[in-house]
Amino acid sequence: MKEVSVRTNSRIGMIDITSKIRNAVEELEIQNGVCTIYCPHTTAAITINENADPDVVSDILMKLNKLVPYQEGYSHMEGNADAHIKSTLVGCSEQVIVENGRLQLGTWQGIFFFEFDGPRNRRVWVSVR
Ligand code: ZN
């Protein structure tokens, strides 16, 4: 397994970590298998989506914020219930096929780290099996 560090700069954000994951896969030196990209945090998430047009990222963040507002009479004392809910909606991991040492992503696909309660120093775990 490899651990990748992600520094987030705002409360909510969607950070393209594709190149970091590619580097981790190279370092693991496993030619064929399935790469799991796992986020060990309860207020962050992992997704795969378009990394060509940055408007896709801003549209996704805008819609998630409308679906799950920051403050809405939640019970959770820590004050970040929206972040926990967004994390569960998006999910904490993704899997990508690795063939001949390369991540098999579609032309327009990138791997993104979602921050929902930043800024923070975050970690992502990468494994190929
Ligand atoms: Zn909390």
Side-chain angles (χ1 to χ4, degrees):
M1 185 183 99
K2 286 276 171 190
E3 184 171 289
V4 169
S5 298
V6 181
R7 172 69 199 168
T8 66
N9 298 315
S10 52
R11 180 160 195 273
I12 290 184
M14 195 172 163
I15 298 130
D16 189 340
I17 57 169
T18 310
S19 59
K20 287 179 183 238
I21 304 302
R22 280 195 208 285
N23 291 341
V25 168
E26 269 178 34
E27 288 169 13
L28 287 165
E29 294 183 342
I30 297 169
Q31 291 302 299
N32 297 291
V34 176
C35 176
T36 300
I37 302 115
Y38 186 86
C39 165
H41 304 287
T42 61
T43 55
I46 300 288
T47 198
I48 294 173
N49 214 303
E50 175 168 337
N51 66 355
D53 178 4
D55 284 347
V56 172
V57 165
S58 51
D59 285 345
I60 289 171
L61 290 172
M62 182 268 288
K63 192 64 185 180
L64 274 173
N65 281 327
K66 276 194 181 168
L67 289 170
V68 188
Y70 184 10
Q71 304 287 352
E72 203 178 49
Y74 305 112
S75 300
H76 181 46
M77 289 185 306
E78 209 186 0
N80 61 356
D82 70 307
H84 291 289
I85 295 164
K86 287 169 181 141
S87 169
T88 280
L89 285 177
V90 175
C92 63
S93 71
E94 286 286 357
Q95 289 194 312
V96 180
I97 296 165
V98 175
E99 191 154 299
N100 299 321
R102 283 184 46 93
L103 279 175
Q104 297 298 298
L105 288 166
T107 306
W108 307 109
Q109 285 183 321
I111 302 164
F112 289 89
F113 183 91
F114 269 108
E115 176 60 81
F116 294 127
D117 193 27
R120 296 189 197 216
N121 291 311
R122 300 291 205 170
R123 299 177 296 160
V124 175
W125 295 339
V126 182
S127 144
V128 181
R129 290 288 153 88

